[in-house]
Amino acid sequence: MRVLITGGAGFLGSHLCERFLAEGHTVVAMDNLITGSTDNIAHLIGNERFSFIKHNVSNYIYLDGPVDAVLHFASPASPNDYLEHPIHTLKVGSLGTLNTIGLAKAKGARYLLASTSEVYGDPQVNPQPESYWGHVNPIGPRGVYDEAKRFAEAMTMAYQRYHGVETRIVRIFNTYGPRMRLNDGRVVPNFIKQALLGEPLTVYMGGQQTRSFQYCSDLVEGVYRLLFSDERLPVNIGNPNEMTIVDFAREVIRISGSSSEIHYVEPTDERITDDPKVRRPDISKARRVLGWEPVVGLEAGLRKTLDYFRGRV
Ligand code: UDP
């Protein structure tokens, strides 16, 4: 297959490029490098089945030749990034989805949308099954990401129903691993960087809010299976191992062998506005329709991520 991966120079996009190349496919990565980096794909340049195009997919996309699958992974994905780039975030989820799914329609390609657990907002149901409609504040700082992704899902379903495009939607829960940006502001790189430097781990809002962290190779496996499955409705892909943020901080300190302390801080900016109090995927559907479940535990995943960050702090 010839596969277009938008956001291909990003954290998850670059891991997907590797996987599709390893399976023998041809990959075109597209990225405008706002939050992605060519460092993430430098090792793929030279592979004759790989090419990179620097382009903002919120603008019209021209791509020569056949395309068999389009995976739309381009978007700022860290709360800090979408606070810094609110309009780009809205555009890539709306116009970027329109352009990429329009390309899929024109090429007769299968389409896979990277959606997010943020479509559930600050959920009032825990864990979150795909049938939950969510609890999103459209005008808060996270609204630019959450609503763009909700719009993207609506657009994807409309192209499926109205134009008959073969579409897939993955709702991605917190994912971590090598190639996250050290300074993207998310909890995993923040805590790892702080632990490696012996600085205090900055736990926001008392640390009783929960998240469930998935290692990137599990996500890639889930996405790969979903693309080739017959499932046309959204599927959660995440690790159901839910923990409080303060417990997560303790795990990072323990696994890294750091002497860092935990500091409770109250950011005064918009970073924590509408911060979800709980988050945990219900993955029964992924188990049922994809035969998928995560296989990398937190300790193993964090060790690999620590190795990556050790050379970079
Ligand atoms: N968080 C924290 N300290 C940090 C960064 C984040 O306590 O240095 C908290 C944040 O308030 C949130 C959780 O960790 O409750 C996960 O935040 P992240 O930015 O990774 O992404 P989110 O899951 O909110 O999209």
Side-chain angles (χ1 to χ4, degrees), residues 114-142:
S115 185
T116 167
S117 54
E118 284 282 330
V119 299
Y120 303 122
D122 185 4
Q124 294 174 311
V125 170
N126 197 40
Q128 296 83 52
E130 290 85 350
S131 54
Y132 179 51
W133 289 356
H135 180 233
V136 171
N137 174 8
I139 57 167
R142 285 176 182 256

PDB file of all heavy atoms in Angstrom, residues 114-142:
ATOM      1  N   ALA A 114      -7.165  10.267  13.593  1.00  0.00           N
ATOM      2  CA  ALA A 114      -6.684  10.237  14.970  1.00  0.00           C
ATOM      3  C   ALA A 114      -7.573  11.166  15.786  1.00  0.00           C
ATOM      4  O   ALA A 114      -7.454  12.382  15.708  1.00  0.00           O
ATOM      5  CB  ALA A 114      -5.234  10.699  15.037  1.00  0.00           C
ATOM      6  N   SER A 115      -8.483  10.574  16.550  1.00  0.00           N
ATOM      7  CA  SER A 115      -9.273  11.364  17.482  1.00  0.00           C
ATOM      8  C   SER A 115      -8.669  11.183  18.883  1.00  0.00           C
ATOM      9  O   SER A 115      -7.529  10.715  19.016  1.00  0.00           O
ATOM     10  CB  SER A 115     -10.745  10.970  17.409  1.00  0.00           C
ATOM     11  OG  SER A 115     -11.506  11.836  18.229  1.00  0.00           O
ATOM     12  N   THR A 116      -9.416  11.518  19.891  1.00  0.00           N
ATOM     13  CA  THR A 116      -8.797  11.671  21.214  1.00  0.00           C
ATOM     14  C   THR A 116      -9.789  11.424  22.339  1.00  0.00           C
ATOM     15  O   THR A 116     -10.997  11.649  22.171  1.00  0.00           O
ATOM     16  CB  THR A 116      -8.245  13.110  21.338  1.00  0.00           C
ATOM     17  OG1 THR A 116      -7.917  13.374  22.701  1.00  0.00           O
ATOM     18  CG2 THR A 116      -9.270  14.151  20.921  1.00  0.00           C
ATOM     19  N   SER A 117      -9.263  11.055  23.480  1.00  0.00           N
ATOM     20  CA  SER A 117     -10.085  10.971  24.692  1.00  0.00           C
ATOM     21  C   SER A 117     -10.640  12.343  25.068  1.00  0.00           C
ATOM     22  O   SER A 117     -11.590  12.428  25.850  1.00  0.00           O
ATOM     23  CB  SER A 117      -9.248  10.428  25.841  1.00  0.00           C
ATOM     24  OG  SER A 117      -8.073  11.201  26.003  1.00  0.00           O
ATOM     25  N   GLU A 118     -10.046  13.419  24.534  1.00  0.00           N
ATOM     26  CA  GLU A 118     -10.564  14.765  24.831  1.00  0.00           C
ATOM     27  C   GLU A 118     -11.978  14.964  24.286  1.00  0.00           C
ATOM     28  O   GLU A 118     -12.658  15.906  24.695  1.00  0.00           O
ATOM     29  CB  GLU A 118      -9.635  15.842  24.268  1.00  0.00           C
ATOM     30  CG  GLU A 118      -8.368  16.056  25.079  1.00  0.00           C
ATOM     31  CD  GLU A 118      -8.577  16.880  26.358  1.00  0.00           C
ATOM     32  OE1 GLU A 118      -9.463  17.739  26.401  1.00  0.00           O
ATOM     33  OE2 GLU A 118      -7.845  16.636  27.325  1.00  0.00           O
ATOM     34  N   VAL A 119     -12.438  14.116  23.361  1.00  0.00           N
ATOM     35  CA  VAL A 119     -13.837  14.261  22.914  1.00  0.00           C
ATOM     36  C   VAL A 119     -14.792  13.983  24.086  1.00  0.00           C
ATOM     37  O   VAL A 119     -15.950  14.388  24.044  1.00  0.00           O
ATOM     38  CB  VAL A 119     -14.214  13.359  21.704  1.00  0.00           C
ATOM     39  CG1 VAL A 119     -13.358  13.688  20.492  1.00  0.00           C
ATOM     40  CG2 VAL A 119     -14.148  11.883  22.050  1.00  0.00           C
ATOM     41  N   TYR A 120     -14.294  13.288  25.123  1.00  0.00           N
ATOM     42  CA  TYR A 120     -15.129  13.042  26.311  1.00  0.00           C
ATOM     43  C   TYR A 120     -15.054  14.206  27.300  1.00  0.00           C
ATOM     44  O   TYR A 120     -15.769  14.210  28.297  1.00  0.00           O
ATOM     45  CB  TYR A 120     -14.698  11.749  27.007  1.00  0.00           C
ATOM     46  CG  TYR A 120     -14.748  10.510  26.121  1.00  0.00           C
ATOM     47  CD1 TYR A 120     -13.618   9.735  25.897  1.00  0.00           C
ATOM     48  CD2 TYR A 120     -15.938  10.121  25.504  1.00  0.00           C
ATOM     49  CE1 TYR A 120     -13.659   8.602  25.090  1.00  0.00           C
ATOM     50  CE2 TYR A 120     -15.981   8.988  24.698  1.00  0.00           C
ATOM     51  CZ  TYR A 120     -14.847   8.242  24.496  1.00  0.00           C
ATOM     52  OH  TYR A 120     -14.888   7.123  23.694  1.00  0.00           O
ATOM     53  N   GLY A 121     -14.166  15.167  27.054  1.00  0.00           N
ATOM     54  CA  GLY A 121     -14.060  16.342  27.916  1.00  0.00           C
ATOM     55  C   GLY A 121     -13.661  15.976  29.331  1.00  0.00           C
ATOM     56  O   GLY A 121     -12.795  15.130  29.547  1.00  0.00           O
ATOM     57  N   ASP A 122     -14.273  16.655  30.304  1.00  0.00           N
ATOM     58  CA  ASP A 122     -14.083  16.355  31.724  1.00  0.00           C
ATOM     59  C   ASP A 122     -15.180  15.354  32.056  1.00  0.00           C
ATOM     60  O   ASP A 122     -16.304  15.738  32.400  1.00  0.00           O
ATOM     61  CB  ASP A 122     -14.226  17.662  32.528  1.00  0.00           C
ATOM     62  CG  ASP A 122     -13.928  17.461  34.001  1.00  0.00           C
ATOM     63  OD1 ASP A 122     -13.538  16.342  34.403  1.00  0.00           O
ATOM     64  OD2 ASP A 122     -14.112  18.419  34.766  1.00  0.00           O
ATOM     65  N   PRO A 123     -14.913  14.057  31.926  1.00  0.00           N
ATOM     66  CA  PRO A 123     -16.003  13.076  31.843  1.00  0.00           C
ATOM     67  C   PRO A 123     -16.744  12.867  33.159  1.00  0.00           C
ATOM     68  O   PRO A 123     -16.148  12.899  34.235  1.00  0.00           O
ATOM     69  CB  PRO A 123     -15.291  11.792  31.402  1.00  0.00           C
ATOM     70  CG  PRO A 123     -13.878  11.959  31.812  1.00  0.00           C
ATOM     71  CD  PRO A 123     -13.584  13.429  31.823  1.00  0.00           C
ATOM     72  N   GLN A 124     -18.031  12.672  33.025  1.00  0.00           N
ATOM     73  CA  GLN A 124     -18.851  12.370  34.197  1.00  0.00           C
ATOM     74  C   GLN A 124     -19.135  10.879  34.297  1.00  0.00           C
ATOM     75  O   GLN A 124     -19.955  10.454  35.120  1.00  0.00           O
ATOM     76  CB  GLN A 124     -20.140  13.187  34.120  1.00  0.00           C
ATOM     77  CG  GLN A 124     -19.831  14.684  34.247  1.00  0.00           C
ATOM     78  CD  GLN A 124     -21.035  15.558  34.029  1.00  0.00           C
ATOM     79  OE1 GLN A 124     -21.767  15.383  33.054  1.00  0.00           O
ATOM     80  NE2 GLN A 124     -21.260  16.502  34.920  1.00  0.00           N
ATOM     81  N   VAL A 125     -18.498  10.121  33.421  1.00  0.00           N
ATOM     82  CA  VAL A 125     -18.617   8.666  33.416  1.00  0.00           C
ATOM     83  C   VAL A 125     -17.190   8.118  33.410  1.00  0.00           C
ATOM     84  O   VAL A 125     -16.359   8.589  32.635  1.00  0.00           O
ATOM     85  CB  VAL A 125     -19.348   8.197  32.128  1.00  0.00           C
ATOM     86  CG1 VAL A 125     -19.264   6.698  31.969  1.00  0.00           C
ATOM     87  CG2 VAL A 125     -20.789   8.678  32.112  1.00  0.00           C
ATOM     88  N   ASN A 126     -16.881   7.173  34.281  1.00  0.00           N
ATOM     89  CA  ASN A 126     -15.529   6.623  34.326  1.00  0.00           C
ATOM     90  C   ASN A 126     -15.584   5.119  34.569  1.00  0.00           C
ATOM     91  O   ASN A 126     -16.246   4.687  35.503  1.00  0.00           O
ATOM     92  CB  ASN A 126     -14.727   7.287  35.458  1.00  0.00           C
ATOM     93  CG  ASN A 126     -13.238   7.080  35.311  1.00  0.00           C
ATOM     94  OD1 ASN A 126     -12.700   7.135  34.218  1.00  0.00           O
ATOM     95  ND2 ASN A 126     -12.575   6.811  36.417  1.00  0.00           N
ATOM     96  N   PRO A 127     -14.941   4.274  33.760  1.00  0.00           N
ATOM     97  CA  PRO A 127     -14.186   4.597  32.553  1.00  0.00           C
ATOM     98  C   PRO A 127     -15.103   5.066  31.411  1.00  0.00           C
ATOM     99  O   PRO A 127     -16.326   4.950  31.533  1.00  0.00           O
ATOM    100  CB  PRO A 127     -13.502   3.272  32.201  1.00  0.00           C
ATOM    101  CG  PRO A 127     -14.385   2.224  32.787  1.00  0.00           C
ATOM    102  CD  PRO A 127     -14.977   2.823  34.031  1.00  0.00           C
ATOM    103  N   GLN A 128     -14.492   5.569  30.338  1.00  0.00           N
ATOM    104  CA  GLN A 128     -15.270   6.095  29.219  1.00  0.00           C
ATOM    105  C   GLN A 128     -15.417   5.043  28.114  1.00  0.00           C
ATOM    106  O   GLN A 128     -14.431   4.657  27.496  1.00  0.00           O
ATOM    107  CB  GLN A 128     -14.585   7.337  28.625  1.00  0.00           C
ATOM    108  CG  GLN A 128     -14.501   8.522  29.587  1.00  0.00           C
ATOM    109  CD  GLN A 128     -13.321   8.427  30.540  1.00  0.00           C
ATOM    110  OE1 GLN A 128     -12.200   8.235  30.098  1.00  0.00           O
ATOM    111  NE2 GLN A 128     -13.567   8.544  31.835  1.00  0.00           N
ATOM    112  N   PRO A 129     -16.659   4.593  27.860  1.00  0.00           N
ATOM    113  CA  PRO A 129     -16.897   3.738  26.695  1.00  0.00           C
ATOM    114  C   PRO A 129     -17.138   4.630  25.468  1.00  0.00           C
ATOM    115  O   PRO A 129     -17.425   5.821  25.611  1.00  0.00           O
ATOM    116  CB  PRO A 129     -18.187   2.992  27.073  1.00  0.00           C
ATOM    117  CG  PRO A 129     -18.918   3.946  27.966  1.00  0.00           C
ATOM    118  CD  PRO A 129     -17.881   4.819  28.640  1.00  0.00           C
ATOM    119  N   GLU A 130     -17.015   4.067  24.283  1.00  0.00           N
ATOM    120  CA  GLU A 130     -17.208   4.837  23.058  1.00  0.00           C
ATOM    121  C   GLU A 130     -18.613   5.417  22.971  1.00  0.00           C
ATOM    122  O   GLU A 130     -18.849   6.410  22.272  1.00  0.00           O
ATOM    123  CB  GLU A 130     -16.943   3.975  21.820  1.00  0.00           C
ATOM    124  CG  GLU A 130     -15.488   3.595  21.613  1.00  0.00           C
ATOM    125  CD  GLU A 130     -15.065   2.355  22.393  1.00  0.00           C
ATOM    126  OE1 GLU A 130     -15.848   1.876  23.246  1.00  0.00           O
ATOM    127  OE2 GLU A 130     -13.933   1.864  22.156  1.00  0.00           O
ATOM    128  N   SER A 131     -19.566   4.808  23.666  1.00  0.00           N
ATOM    129  CA  SER A 131     -20.960   5.262  23.593  1.00  0.00           C
ATOM    130  C   SER A 131     -21.206   6.536  24.410  1.00  0.00           C
ATOM    131  O   SER A 131     -22.258   7.157  24.297  1.00  0.00           O
ATOM    132  CB  SER A 131     -21.893   4.153  24.102  1.00  0.00           C
ATOM    133  OG  SER A 131     -21.464   3.754  25.394  1.00  0.00           O
ATOM    134  N   TYR A 132     -20.218   6.943  25.229  1.00  0.00           N
ATOM    135  CA  TYR A 132     -20.380   8.161  26.035  1.00  0.00           C
ATOM    136  C   TYR A 132     -20.188   9.399  25.157  1.00  0.00           C
ATOM    137  O   TYR A 132     -19.217   9.481  24.407  1.00  0.00           O
ATOM    138  CB  TYR A 132     -19.356   8.145  27.187  1.00  0.00           C
ATOM    139  CG  TYR A 132     -19.400   9.370  28.072  1.00  0.00           C
ATOM    140  CD1 TYR A 132     -20.607   9.817  28.614  1.00  0.00           C
ATOM    141  CD2 TYR A 132     -18.240  10.078  28.360  1.00  0.00           C
ATOM    142  CE1 TYR A 132     -20.639  10.947  29.422  1.00  0.00           C
ATOM    143  CE2 TYR A 132     -18.273  11.203  29.166  1.00  0.00           C
ATOM    144  CZ  TYR A 132     -19.482  11.636  29.687  1.00  0.00           C
ATOM    145  OH  TYR A 132     -19.520  12.757  30.478  1.00  0.00           O
ATOM    146  N   TRP A 133     -21.125  10.358  25.256  1.00  0.00           N
ATOM    147  CA  TRP A 133     -21.087  11.531  24.369  1.00  0.00           C
ATOM    148  C   TRP A 133     -20.187  12.652  24.872  1.00  0.00           C
ATOM    149  O   TRP A 133     -19.917  13.608  24.156  1.00  0.00           O
ATOM    150  CB  TRP A 133     -22.502  12.077  24.152  1.00  0.00           C
ATOM    151  CG  TRP A 133     -23.341  11.196  23.296  1.00  0.00           C
ATOM    152  CD1 TRP A 133     -22.964  10.045  22.666  1.00  0.00           C
ATOM    153  CD2 TRP A 133     -24.728  11.385  22.976  1.00  0.00           C
ATOM    154  NE1 TRP A 133     -24.010   9.506  21.975  1.00  0.00           N
ATOM    155  CE2 TRP A 133     -25.104  10.304  22.152  1.00  0.00           C
ATOM    156  CE3 TRP A 133     -25.674  12.355  23.308  1.00  0.00           C
ATOM    157  CZ2 TRP A 133     -26.406  10.177  21.655  1.00  0.00           C
ATOM    158  CZ3 TRP A 133     -26.968  12.224  22.817  1.00  0.00           C
ATOM    159  CH2 TRP A 133     -27.326  11.149  21.998  1.00  0.00           C
ATOM    160  N   GLY A 134     -19.790  12.586  26.123  1.00  0.00           N
ATOM    161  CA  GLY A 134     -18.810  13.552  26.599  1.00  0.00           C
ATOM    162  C   GLY A 134     -19.381  14.758  27.318  1.00  0.00           C
ATOM    163  O   GLY A 134     -20.587  14.975  27.368  1.00  0.00           O
ATOM    164  N   HIS A 135     -18.467  15.563  27.860  1.00  0.00           N
ATOM    165  CA  HIS A 135     -18.804  16.704  28.714  1.00  0.00           C
ATOM    166  C   HIS A 135     -17.742  17.764  28.454  1.00  0.00           C
ATOM    167  O   HIS A 135     -16.755  17.876  29.169  1.00  0.00           O
ATOM    168  CB  HIS A 135     -18.782  16.217  30.174  1.00  0.00           C
ATOM    169  CG  HIS A 135     -19.113  17.260  31.184  1.00  0.00           C
ATOM    170  ND1 HIS A 135     -18.292  17.514  32.257  1.00  0.00           N
ATOM    171  CD2 HIS A 135     -20.160  18.088  31.292  1.00  0.00           C
ATOM    172  CE1 HIS A 135     -18.835  18.472  32.994  1.00  0.00           C
ATOM    173  NE2 HIS A 135     -19.965  18.838  32.430  1.00  0.00           N
ATOM    174  N   VAL A 136     -17.948  18.491  27.352  1.00  0.00           N
ATOM    175  CA  VAL A 136     -16.908  19.397  26.843  1.00  0.00           C
ATOM    176  C   VAL A 136     -17.355  20.849  26.972  1.00  0.00           C
ATOM    177  O   VAL A 136     -18.499  21.179  26.657  1.00  0.00           O
ATOM    178  CB  VAL A 136     -16.598  19.086  25.360  1.00  0.00           C
ATOM    179  CG1 VAL A 136     -15.680  20.143  24.759  1.00  0.00           C
ATOM    180  CG2 VAL A 136     -15.968  17.706  25.223  1.00  0.00           C
ATOM    181  N   ASN A 137     -16.444  21.697  27.425  1.00  0.00           N
ATOM    182  CA  ASN A 137     -16.686  23.141  27.423  1.00  0.00           C
ATOM    183  C   ASN A 137     -16.186  23.717  26.090  1.00  0.00           C
ATOM    184  O   ASN A 137     -14.978  23.782  25.867  1.00  0.00           O
ATOM    185  CB  ASN A 137     -15.938  23.780  28.596  1.00  0.00           C
ATOM    186  CG  ASN A 137     -16.025  25.296  28.558  1.00  0.00           C
ATOM    187  OD1 ASN A 137     -16.763  25.866  27.746  1.00  0.00           O
ATOM    188  ND2 ASN A 137     -15.275  25.954  29.429  1.00  0.00           N
ATOM    189  N   PRO A 138     -17.086  24.126  25.211  1.00  0.00           N
ATOM    190  CA  PRO A 138     -16.634  24.561  23.880  1.00  0.00           C
ATOM    191  C   PRO A 138     -15.814  25.847  23.900  1.00  0.00           C
ATOM    192  O   PRO A 138     -15.020  26.073  22.991  1.00  0.00           O
ATOM    193  CB  PRO A 138     -17.942  24.769  23.093  1.00  0.00           C
ATOM    194  CG  PRO A 138     -18.999  24.957  24.128  1.00  0.00           C
ATOM    195  CD  PRO A 138     -18.562  24.180  25.340  1.00  0.00           C
ATOM    196  N   ILE A 139     -15.996  26.680  24.928  1.00  0.00           N
ATOM    197  CA  ILE A 139     -15.328  27.992  24.912  1.00  0.00           C
ATOM    198  C   ILE A 139     -14.155  28.092  25.885  1.00  0.00           C
ATOM    199  O   ILE A 139     -13.554  29.146  26.024  1.00  0.00           O
ATOM    200  CB  ILE A 139     -16.331  29.142  25.182  1.00  0.00           C
ATOM    201  CG1 ILE A 139     -17.030  28.922  26.520  1.00  0.00           C
ATOM    202  CG2 ILE A 139     -17.342  29.255  24.043  1.00  0.00           C
ATOM    203  CD1 ILE A 139     -17.785  30.147  27.003  1.00  0.00           C
ATOM    204  N   GLY A 140     -13.807  26.989  26.531  1.00  0.00           N
ATOM    205  CA  GLY A 140     -12.617  26.993  27.395  1.00  0.00           C
ATOM    206  C   GLY A 140     -11.360  26.836  26.549  1.00  0.00           C
ATOM    207  O   GLY A 140     -11.438  26.625  25.334  1.00  0.00           O
ATOM    208  N   PRO A 141     -10.176  26.925  27.185  1.00  0.00           N
ATOM    209  CA  PRO A 141      -8.926  26.838  26.425  1.00  0.00           C
ATOM    210  C   PRO A 141      -8.722  25.502  25.712  1.00  0.00           C
ATOM    211  O   PRO A 141      -8.072  25.435  24.683  1.00  0.00           O
ATOM    212  CB  PRO A 141      -7.842  27.068  27.488  1.00  0.00           C
ATOM    213  CG  PRO A 141      -8.519  26.860  28.805  1.00  0.00           C
ATOM    214  CD  PRO A 141      -9.963  27.182  28.615  1.00  0.00           C
ATOM    215  N   ARG A 142      -9.301  24.427  26.270  1.00  0.00           N
ATOM    216  CA  ARG A 142      -9.168  23.124  25.612  1.00  0.00           C
ATOM    217  C   ARG A 142     -10.170  22.948  24.480  1.00  0.00           C
ATOM    218  O   ARG A 142     -10.073  21.994  23.700  1.00  0.00           O
ATOM    219  CB  ARG A 142      -9.400  21.987  26.623  1.00  0.00           C
ATOM    220  CG  ARG A 142      -8.262  21.774  27.566  1.00  0.00           C
ATOM    221  CD  ARG A 142      -8.641  20.698  28.584  1.00  0.00           C
ATOM    222  NE  ARG A 142      -7.569  20.512  29.526  1.00  0.00           N
ATOM    223  CZ  ARG A 142      -6.728  19.466  29.512  1.00  0.00           C
ATOM    224  NH1 ARG A 142      -6.857  18.496  28.643  1.00  0.00           N
ATOM    225  NH2 ARG A 142      -5.761  19.390  30.397  1.00  0.00           N
TER     226      ARG A 142
END
